[in-house]
PDB file of all heavy atoms in Angstrom:
ATOM      1  N   GLU A   3     -11.903  18.135   5.339  1.00 91.00           N
ATOM      2  CA  GLU A   3     -10.455  18.381   5.431  1.00 91.00           C
ATOM      3  C   GLU A   3      -9.726  17.357   4.574  1.00 91.00           C
ATOM      4  O   GLU A   3     -10.110  16.180   4.534  1.00 91.00           O
ATOM      5  CB  GLU A   3     -10.017  18.291   6.905  1.00 91.00           C
ATOM      6  CG  GLU A   3      -8.615  18.767   7.174  1.00 91.00           C
ATOM      7  CD  GLU A   3      -7.577  17.680   6.928  1.00 91.00           C
ATOM      8  OE1 GLU A   3      -7.904  16.486   7.058  1.00 91.00           O
ATOM      9  OE2 GLU A   3      -6.426  18.040   6.606  1.00 91.00           O
ATOM     10  N   GLU A   4      -8.685  17.796   3.884  1.00 94.00           N
ATOM     11  CA  GLU A   4      -8.086  16.976   2.824  1.00 94.00           C
ATOM     12  C   GLU A   4      -7.604  15.606   3.293  1.00 94.00           C
ATOM     13  O   GLU A   4      -7.878  14.592   2.642  1.00 94.00           O
ATOM     14  CB  GLU A   4      -6.931  17.743   2.173  1.00 94.00           C
ATOM     15  CG  GLU A   4      -7.383  18.917   1.334  1.00 94.00           C
ATOM     16  CD  GLU A   4      -6.234  19.586   0.612  1.00 94.00           C
ATOM     17  OE1 GLU A   4      -5.066  19.423   1.038  1.00 94.00           O
ATOM     18  OE2 GLU A   4      -6.486  20.285  -0.378  1.00 94.00           O
ATOM     19  N   THR A   5      -6.864  15.534   4.405  1.00 95.00           N
ATOM     20  CA  THR A   5      -6.308  14.236   4.808  1.00 95.00           C
ATOM     21  C   THR A   5      -7.406  13.302   5.313  1.00 95.00           C
ATOM     22  O   THR A   5      -7.336  12.086   5.105  1.00 95.00           O
ATOM     23  CB  THR A   5      -5.215  14.420   5.872  1.00 95.00           C
ATOM     24  OG1 THR A   5      -5.770  15.047   7.039  1.00 95.00           O
ATOM     25  CG2 THR A   5      -4.074  15.273   5.336  1.00 95.00           C
ATOM     26  N   ALA A   6      -8.432  13.857   5.984  1.00 95.00           N
ATOM     27  CA  ALA A   6      -9.564  13.026   6.411  1.00 95.00           C
ATOM     28  C   ALA A   6     -10.348  12.536   5.192  1.00 95.00           C
ATOM     29  O   ALA A   6     -10.814  11.392   5.149  1.00 95.00           O
ATOM     30  CB  ALA A   6     -10.463  13.813   7.350  1.00 95.00           C
ATOM     31  N   LEU A   7     -10.493  13.402   4.206  1.00 95.00           N
ATOM     32  CA  LEU A   7     -11.159  13.038   2.960  1.00 95.00           C
ATOM     33  C   LEU A   7     -10.441  11.881   2.276  1.00 95.00           C
ATOM     34  O   LEU A   7     -11.065  10.916   1.823  1.00 95.00           O
ATOM     35  CB  LEU A   7     -11.189  14.260   2.044  1.00 95.00           C
ATOM     36  CG  LEU A   7     -11.740  14.108   0.636  1.00 95.00           C
ATOM     37  CD1 LEU A   7     -13.248  14.039   0.661  1.00 95.00           C
ATOM     38  CD2 LEU A   7     -11.297  15.284  -0.232  1.00 95.00           C
ATOM     39  N   ILE A   8      -9.137  11.965   2.219  1.00 96.00           N
ATOM     40  CA  ILE A   8      -8.341  10.906   1.584  1.00 96.00           C
ATOM     41  C   ILE A   8      -8.509   9.589   2.325  1.00 96.00           C
ATOM     42  O   ILE A   8      -8.694   8.524   1.720  1.00 96.00           O
ATOM     43  CB  ILE A   8      -6.860  11.330   1.515  1.00 96.00           C
ATOM     44  CG1 ILE A   8      -6.694  12.461   0.497  1.00 96.00           C
ATOM     45  CG2 ILE A   8      -5.965  10.139   1.161  1.00 96.00           C
ATOM     46  CD1 ILE A   8      -5.344  13.142   0.561  1.00 96.00           C
ATOM     47  N   ALA A   9      -8.463   9.644   3.665  1.00 95.00           N
ATOM     48  CA  ALA A   9      -8.628   8.423   4.458  1.00 95.00           C
ATOM     49  C   ALA A   9      -9.985   7.784   4.188  1.00 95.00           C
ATOM     50  O   ALA A   9     -10.102   6.561   4.079  1.00 95.00           O
ATOM     51  CB  ALA A   9      -8.474   8.743   5.941  1.00 95.00           C
ATOM     52  N   SER A  10     -11.024   8.613   4.062  1.00 95.00           N
ATOM     53  CA  SER A  10     -12.361   8.088   3.804  1.00 95.00           C
ATOM     54  C   SER A  10     -12.456   7.482   2.401  1.00 95.00           C
ATOM     55  O   SER A  10     -13.075   6.428   2.212  1.00 95.00           O
ATOM     56  CB  SER A  10     -13.387   9.211   3.983  1.00 95.00           C
ATOM     57  OG  SER A  10     -14.699   8.727   3.834  1.00 95.00           O
ATOM     58  N   ILE A  11     -11.854   8.137   1.413  1.00 96.00           N
ATOM     59  CA  ILE A  11     -11.856   7.592   0.044  1.00 96.00           C
ATOM     60  C   ILE A  11     -11.197   6.218   0.010  1.00 96.00           C
ATOM     61  O   ILE A  11     -11.651   5.308  -0.699  1.00 96.00           O
ATOM     62  CB  ILE A  11     -11.138   8.568  -0.914  1.00 96.00           C
ATOM     63  CG1 ILE A  11     -12.005   9.799  -1.168  1.00 96.00           C
ATOM     64  CG2 ILE A  11     -10.802   7.877  -2.249  1.00 96.00           C
ATOM     65  CD1 ILE A  11     -11.330  10.866  -2.002  1.00 96.00           C
ATOM     66  N   GLU A  12     -10.154   6.059   0.800  1.00 95.00           N
ATOM     67  CA  GLU A  12      -9.421   4.792   0.820  1.00 95.00           C
ATOM     68  C   GLU A  12     -10.130   3.709   1.629  1.00 95.00           C
ATOM     69  O   GLU A  12      -9.659   2.572   1.690  1.00 95.00           O
ATOM     70  CB  GLU A  12      -8.023   5.015   1.392  1.00 95.00           C
ATOM     71  CG  GLU A  12      -7.139   5.874   0.509  1.00 95.00           C
ATOM     72  CD  GLU A  12      -5.796   6.195   1.144  1.00 95.00           C
ATOM     73  OE1 GLU A  12      -5.673   6.047   2.387  1.00 95.00           O
ATOM     74  OE2 GLU A  12      -4.875   6.583   0.414  1.00 95.00           O
ATOM     75  N   GLY A  13     -11.264   4.067   2.243  1.00 94.00           N
ATOM     76  CA  GLY A  13     -12.026   3.080   3.003  1.00 94.00           C
ATOM     77  C   GLY A  13     -11.748   3.074   4.474  1.00 94.00           C
ATOM     78  O   GLY A  13     -12.274   2.228   5.209  1.00 94.00           O
ATOM     79  N   GLY A  14     -10.921   3.995   4.944  1.00 93.00           N
ATOM     80  CA  GLY A  14     -10.601   4.069   6.361  1.00 93.00           C
ATOM     81  C   GLY A  14     -11.517   5.026   7.091  1.00 93.00           C
ATOM     82  O   GLY A  14     -12.447   5.605   6.530  1.00 93.00           O
ATOM     83  N   ARG A  15     -11.238   5.200   8.381  1.00 91.00           N
ATOM     84  CA  ARG A  15     -12.002   6.149   9.170  1.00 91.00           C
ATOM     85  C   ARG A  15     -11.575   7.561   8.776  1.00 91.00           C
ATOM     86  O   ARG A  15     -10.380   7.845   8.654  1.00 91.00           O
ATOM     87  CB  ARG A  15     -11.750   5.919  10.655  1.00 91.00           C
ATOM     88  CG  ARG A  15     -12.555   6.844  11.555  1.00 91.00           C
ATOM     89  CD  ARG A  15     -12.299   6.562  13.015  1.00 91.00           C
ATOM     90  NE  ARG A  15     -13.060   7.492  13.865  1.00 91.00           N
ATOM     91  CZ  ARG A  15     -12.990   7.500  15.178  1.00 91.00           C
ATOM     92  NH1 ARG A  15     -12.199   6.642  15.806  1.00 91.00           N
ATOM     93  NH2 ARG A  15     -13.705   8.374  15.876  1.00 91.00           N
ATOM     94  N   GLY A  16     -12.551   8.441   8.600  1.00 91.00           N
ATOM     95  CA  GLY A  16     -12.253   9.788   8.123  1.00 91.00           C
ATOM     96  C   GLY A  16     -11.717  10.692   9.213  1.00 91.00           C
ATOM     97  O   GLY A  16     -12.448  11.538   9.734  1.00 91.00           O
ATOM     98  N   THR A  17     -10.477  10.517   9.565  1.00 90.00           N
ATOM     99  CA  THR A  17      -9.845  11.391  10.561  1.00 90.00           C
ATOM    100  C   THR A  17      -8.617  12.039   9.930  1.00 90.00           C
ATOM    101  O   THR A  17      -7.921  11.425   9.106  1.00 90.00           O
ATOM    102  CB  THR A  17      -9.424  10.617  11.817  1.00 90.00           C
ATOM    103  OG1 THR A  17      -8.577   9.528  11.437  1.00 90.00           O
ATOM    104  CG2 THR A  17     -10.629  10.071  12.550  1.00 90.00           C
ATOM    105  N   PRO A  18      -8.315  13.285  10.316  1.00 93.00           N
ATOM    106  CA  PRO A  18      -7.175  13.989   9.710  1.00 93.00           C
ATOM    107  C   PRO A  18      -5.838  13.497  10.226  1.00 93.00           C
ATOM    108  O   PRO A  18      -5.752  12.863  11.281  1.00 93.00           O
ATOM    109  CB  PRO A  18      -7.428  15.449  10.124  1.00 93.00           C
ATOM    110  CG  PRO A  18      -8.237  15.357  11.359  1.00 93.00           C
ATOM    111  CD  PRO A  18      -9.081  14.132  11.244  1.00 93.00           C
ATOM    112  N   HIS A  19      -4.805  13.789   9.451  1.00 92.00           N
ATOM    113  CA  HIS A  19      -3.437  13.401   9.794  1.00 92.00           C
ATOM    114  C   HIS A  19      -2.515  14.597   9.622  1.00 92.00           C
ATOM    115  O   HIS A  19      -2.795  15.494   8.818  1.00 92.00           O
ATOM    116  CB  HIS A  19      -2.972  12.242   8.904  1.00 92.00           C
ATOM    117  CG  HIS A  19      -3.837  11.031   8.999  1.00 92.00           C
ATOM    118  ND1 HIS A  19      -3.744  10.120  10.034  1.00 92.00           N
ATOM    119  CD2 HIS A  19      -4.859  10.589   8.217  1.00 92.00           C
ATOM    120  CE1 HIS A  19      -4.644   9.162   9.875  1.00 92.00           C
ATOM    121  NE2 HIS A  19      -5.337   9.426   8.775  1.00 92.00           N
ATOM    122  N   PRO A  20      -1.425  14.629  10.375  1.00 91.00           N
ATOM    123  CA  PRO A  20      -0.500  15.769  10.252  1.00 91.00           C
ATOM    124  C   PRO A  20       0.077  15.866   8.838  1.00 91.00           C
ATOM    125  O   PRO A  20       0.224  14.873   8.136  1.00 91.00           O
ATOM    126  CB  PRO A  20       0.604  15.443  11.273  1.00 91.00           C
ATOM    127  CG  PRO A  20      -0.013  14.471  12.230  1.00 91.00           C
ATOM    128  CD  PRO A  20      -0.996  13.680  11.419  1.00 91.00           C
ATOM    129  N   ARG A  21       0.388  17.100   8.428  1.00 90.00           N
ATOM    130  CA  ARG A  21       1.054  17.357   7.151  1.00 90.00           C
ATOM    131  C   ARG A  21       2.333  18.115   7.439  1.00 90.00           C
ATOM    132  O   ARG A  21       2.355  18.939   8.376  1.00 90.00           O
ATOM    133  CB  ARG A  21       0.137  18.171   6.230  1.00 90.00           C
ATOM    134  CG  ARG A  21      -1.152  17.456   5.871  1.00 90.00           C
ATOM    135  CD  ARG A  21      -2.051  18.302   4.990  1.00 90.00           C
ATOM    136  NE  ARG A  21      -2.520  19.503   5.679  1.00 90.00           N
ATOM    137  CZ  ARG A  21      -3.309  20.427   5.126  1.00 90.00           C
ATOM    138  NH1 ARG A  21      -3.714  20.278   3.876  1.00 90.00           N
ATOM    139  NH2 ARG A  21      -3.692  21.477   5.803  1.00 90.00           N
ATOM    140  N   PRO A  22       3.416  17.919   6.678  1.00 92.00           N
ATOM    141  CA  PRO A  22       3.541  17.063   5.494  1.00 92.00           C
ATOM    142  C   PRO A  22       3.551  15.571   5.841  1.00 92.00           C
ATOM    143  O   PRO A  22       3.687  15.246   7.004  1.00 92.00           O
ATOM    144  CB  PRO A  22       4.885  17.531   4.907  1.00 92.00           C
ATOM    145  CG  PRO A  22       5.663  18.055   6.081  1.00 92.00           C
ATOM    146  CD  PRO A  22       4.651  18.636   7.012  1.00 92.00           C
ATOM    147  N   PRO A  23       3.441  14.712   4.783  1.00 93.00           N
ATOM    148  CA  PRO A  23       3.372  15.082   3.366  1.00 93.00           C
ATOM    149  C   PRO A  23       2.014  15.663   3.003  1.00 93.00           C
ATOM    150  O   PRO A  23       0.980  15.268   3.555  1.00 93.00           O
ATOM    151  CB  PRO A  23       3.609  13.757   2.647  1.00 93.00           C
ATOM    152  CG  PRO A  23       3.074  12.723   3.593  1.00 93.00           C
ATOM    153  CD  PRO A  23       3.389  13.233   4.964  1.00 93.00           C
ATOM    154  N   TYR A  24       2.020  16.597   2.077  1.00 94.00           N
ATOM    155  CA  TYR A  24       0.795  17.190   1.564  1.00 94.00           C
ATOM    156  C   TYR A  24       0.234  16.305   0.449  1.00 94.00           C
ATOM    157  O   TYR A  24       0.979  15.558  -0.202  1.00 94.00           O
ATOM    158  CB  TYR A  24       1.059  18.606   1.056  1.00 94.00           C
ATOM    159  CG  TYR A  24       1.348  19.581   2.171  1.00 94.00           C
ATOM    160  CD1 TYR A  24       2.656  19.794   2.612  1.00 94.00           C
ATOM    161  CD2 TYR A  24       0.313  20.269   2.794  1.00 94.00           C
ATOM    162  CE1 TYR A  24       2.925  20.680   3.651  1.00 94.00           C
ATOM    163  CE2 TYR A  24       0.574  21.153   3.831  1.00 94.00           C
ATOM    164  CZ  TYR A  24       1.873  21.365   4.258  1.00 94.00           C
ATOM    165  OH  TYR A  24       2.135  22.214   5.281  1.00 94.00           O
ATOM    166  N   PRO A  25      -1.091  16.378   0.218  1.00 96.00           N
ATOM    167  CA  PRO A  25      -1.682  15.528  -0.821  1.00 96.00           C
ATOM    168  C   PRO A  25      -1.022  15.671  -2.189  1.00 96.00           C
ATOM    169  O   PRO A  25      -0.991  14.703  -2.956  1.00 96.00           O
ATOM    170  CB  PRO A  25      -3.144  15.996  -0.856  1.00 96.00           C
ATOM    171  CG  PRO A  25      -3.402  16.501   0.529  1.00 96.00           C
ATOM    172  CD  PRO A  25      -2.112  17.146   0.964  1.00 96.00           C
ATOM    173  N   ALA A  26      -0.515  16.861  -2.509  1.00 95.00           N
ATOM    174  CA  ALA A  26       0.116  17.046  -3.814  1.00 95.00           C
ATOM    175  C   ALA A  26       1.321  16.131  -3.991  1.00 95.00           C
ATOM    176  O   ALA A  26       1.707  15.805  -5.117  1.00 95.00           O
ATOM    177  CB  ALA A  26       0.539  18.500  -3.990  1.00 95.00           C
ATOM    178  N   ALA A  27       1.923  15.717  -2.873  1.00 95.00           N
ATOM    179  CA  ALA A  27       3.063  14.796  -2.941  1.00 95.00           C
ATOM    180  C   ALA A  27       2.640  13.364  -2.663  1.00 95.00           C
ATOM    181  O   ALA A  27       3.109  12.418  -3.307  1.00 95.00           O
ATOM    182  CB  ALA A  27       4.140  15.225  -1.950  1.00 95.00           C
ATOM    183  N   SER A  28       1.761  13.175  -1.678  1.00 96.00           N
ATOM    184  CA  SER A  28       1.319  11.827  -1.305  1.00 96.00           C
ATOM    185  C   SER A  28      -0.103  11.907  -0.788  1.00 96.00           C
ATOM    186  O   SER A  28      -0.340  12.339   0.346  1.00 96.00           O
ATOM    187  CB  SER A  28       2.238  11.242  -0.221  1.00 96.00           C
ATOM    188  OG  SER A  28       1.792   9.949   0.173  1.00 96.00           O
ATOM    189  N   GLY A  29      -1.055  11.512  -1.642  1.00 96.00           N
ATOM    190  CA  GLY A  29      -2.463  11.606  -1.281  1.00 96.00           C
ATOM    191  C   GLY A  29      -3.147  10.262  -1.330  1.00 96.00           C
ATOM    192  O   GLY A  29      -2.770   9.340  -0.615  1.00 96.00           O
ATOM    193  N   VAL A  30      -4.147  10.120  -2.199  1.00 97.00           N
ATOM    194  CA  VAL A  30      -4.908   8.880  -2.308  1.00 97.00           C
ATOM    195  C   VAL A  30      -3.984   7.744  -2.743  1.00 97.00           C
ATOM    196  O   VAL A  30      -3.278   7.851  -3.747  1.00 97.00           O
ATOM    197  CB  VAL A  30      -6.073   9.052  -3.312  1.00 97.00           C
ATOM    198  CG1 VAL A  30      -6.840   7.742  -3.476  1.00 97.00           C
ATOM    199  CG2 VAL A  30      -7.015  10.160  -2.836  1.00 97.00           C
ATOM    200  N   TRP A  31      -3.977   6.673  -1.956  1.00 95.00           N
ATOM    201  CA  TRP A  31      -3.111   5.512  -2.210  1.00 95.00           C
ATOM    202  C   TRP A  31      -1.639   5.902  -2.298  1.00 95.00           C
ATOM    203  O   TRP A  31      -0.852   5.231  -2.967  1.00 95.00           O
ATOM    204  CB  TRP A  31      -3.533   4.769  -3.484  1.00 95.00           C
ATOM    205  CG  TRP A  31      -5.000   4.530  -3.628  1.00 95.00           C
ATOM    206  CD1 TRP A  31      -5.798   4.973  -4.634  1.00 95.00           C
ATOM    207  CD2 TRP A  31      -5.858   3.820  -2.723  1.00 95.00           C
ATOM    208  NE1 TRP A  31      -7.100   4.593  -4.426  1.00 95.00           N
ATOM    209  CE2 TRP A  31      -7.177   3.871  -3.258  1.00 95.00           C
ATOM    210  CE3 TRP A  31      -5.662   3.147  -1.514  1.00 95.00           C
ATOM    211  CZ2 TRP A  31      -8.264   3.276  -2.636  1.00 95.00           C
ATOM    212  CZ3 TRP A  31      -6.755   2.560  -0.891  1.00 95.00           C
ATOM    213  CH2 TRP A  31      -8.028   2.636  -1.458  1.00 95.00           C
ATOM    214  N   GLY A  32      -1.247   7.005  -1.661  1.00 95.00           N
ATOM    215  CA  GLY A  32       0.140   7.451  -1.697  1.00 95.00           C
ATOM    216  C   GLY A  32       0.552   8.133  -2.983  1.00 95.00           C
ATOM    217  O   GLY A  32       1.731   8.457  -3.163  1.00 95.00           O
ATOM    218  N   LEU A  33      -0.426   8.398  -3.886  1.00 97.00           N
ATOM    219  CA  LEU A  33      -0.123   9.018  -5.175  1.00 97.00           C
ATOM    220  C   LEU A  33      -0.284  10.533  -5.081  1.00 97.00           C
ATOM    221  O   LEU A  33      -1.086  11.037  -4.291  1.00 97.00           O
ATOM    222  CB  LEU A  33      -1.067   8.479  -6.247  1.00 97.00           C
ATOM    223  CG  LEU A  33      -1.050   6.965  -6.481  1.00 97.00           C
ATOM    224  CD1 LEU A  33      -2.169   6.560  -7.438  1.00 97.00           C
ATOM    225  CD2 LEU A  33       0.303   6.523  -7.026  1.00 97.00           C
ATOM    226  N   PRO A  34       0.452  11.291  -5.889  1.00 98.00           N
ATOM    227  CA  PRO A  34       0.234  12.745  -5.945  1.00 98.00           C
ATOM    228  C   PRO A  34      -1.231  13.025  -6.279  1.00 98.00           C
ATOM    229  O   PRO A  34      -1.778  12.487  -7.250  1.00 98.00           O
ATOM    230  CB  PRO A  34       1.168  13.199  -7.060  1.00 98.00           C
ATOM    231  CG  PRO A  34       2.250  12.158  -7.109  1.00 98.00           C
ATOM    232  CD  PRO A  34       1.563  10.865  -6.778  1.00 98.00           C
ATOM    233  N   THR A  35      -1.868  13.880  -5.484  1.00 97.00           N
ATOM    234  CA  THR A  35      -3.313  14.064  -5.576  1.00 97.00           C
ATOM    235  C   THR A  35      -3.673  15.543  -5.614  1.00 97.00           C
ATOM    236  O   THR A  35      -3.214  16.330  -4.786  1.00 97.00           O
ATOM    237  CB  THR A  35      -4.022  13.392  -4.381  1.00 97.00           C
ATOM    238  OG1 THR A  35      -3.717  11.987  -4.382  1.00 97.00           O
ATOM    239  CG2 THR A  35      -5.523  13.574  -4.461  1.00 97.00           C
ATOM    240  N   LEU A  36      -4.504  15.901  -6.577  1.00 98.00           N
ATOM    241  CA  LEU A  36      -5.050  17.249  -6.684  1.00 98.00           C
ATOM    242  C   LEU A  36      -6.460  17.249  -6.104  1.00 98.00           C
ATOM    243  O   LEU A  36      -7.300  16.454  -6.516  1.00 98.00           O
ATOM    244  CB  LEU A  36      -5.098  17.689  -8.150  1.00 98.00           C
ATOM    245  CG  LEU A  36      -5.866  18.975  -8.447  1.00 98.00           C
ATOM    246  CD1 LEU A  36      -5.138  20.177  -7.869  1.00 98.00           C
ATOM    247  CD2 LEU A  36      -6.096  19.142  -9.941  1.00 98.00           C
ATOM    248  N   ILE A  37      -6.729  18.153  -5.151  1.00 97.00           N
ATOM    249  CA  ILE A  37      -8.044  18.246  -4.528  1.00 97.00           C
ATOM    250  C   ILE A  37      -8.576  19.664  -4.679  1.00 97.00           C
ATOM    251  O   ILE A  37      -7.930  20.627  -4.252  1.00 97.00           O
ATOM    252  CB  ILE A  37      -8.001  17.868  -3.029  1.00 97.00           C
ATOM    253  CG1 ILE A  37      -7.408  16.475  -2.829  1.00 97.00           C
ATOM    254  CG2 ILE A  37      -9.407  17.936  -2.423  1.00 97.00           C
ATOM    255  CD1 ILE A  37      -7.259  16.069  -1.370  1.00 97.00           C
ATOM    256  N   ASN A  38      -9.738  19.798  -5.307  1.00 96.00           N
ATOM    257  CA  ASN A  38     -10.485  21.058  -5.360  1.00 96.00           C
ATOM    258  C   ASN A  38     -11.947  20.753  -5.101  1.00 96.00           C
ATOM    259  O   ASN A  38     -12.385  19.606  -5.250  1.00 96.00           O
ATOM    260  CB  ASN A  38     -10.352  21.748  -6.721  1.00 96.00           C
ATOM    261  CG  ASN A  38      -8.987  22.382  -6.943  1.00 96.00           C
ATOM    262  OD1 ASN A  38      -8.348  22.171  -7.973  1.00 96.00           O
ATOM    263  ND2 ASN A  38      -8.516  23.162  -5.987  1.00 96.00           N
ATOM    264  N   ASN A  39     -12.723  21.775  -4.765  1.00 93.00           N
ATOM    265  CA  ASN A  39     -14.148  21.515  -4.524  1.00 93.00           C
ATOM    266  C   ASN A  39     -14.938  21.623  -5.823  1.00 93.00           C
ATOM    267  O   ASN A  39     -14.407  21.987  -6.880  1.00 93.00           O
ATOM    268  CB  ASN A  39     -14.692  22.429  -3.418  1.00 93.00           C
ATOM    269  CG  ASN A  39     -15.185  23.756  -3.948  1.00 93.00           C
ATOM    270  OD1 ASN A  39     -14.581  24.349  -4.837  1.00 93.00           O
ATOM    271  ND2 ASN A  39     -16.277  24.242  -3.395  1.00 93.00           N
TER     272      ASN A  39
END
C-alpha cells in the first residue's frame, strides 16, 4: 500500500496513513511522488 510503502522507504514502520494528502502531492520525504509497480 502506497503510504505504508513510503513510510518503509523513509526508514519508519511500514504502516498505512489516511489520505489525503496523496503521494502525488506529498510522498517520500514530503515530496511529490509517482508510484507504479
Side-chain angles (χ1 to χ4, degrees):
E3 191 275 333
E4 290 185 339
T5 61
L7 175 76
I8 290 168
S10 184
I11 287 175
E12 293 175 342
R15 182 179 178 182
T17 55
H19 302 280
R21 298 179 295 179
Y24 290 90
S28 178
V30 178
W31 315 120
L33 301 172
T35 300
L36 170 68
I37 304 177
N38 286 130
N39 88 320

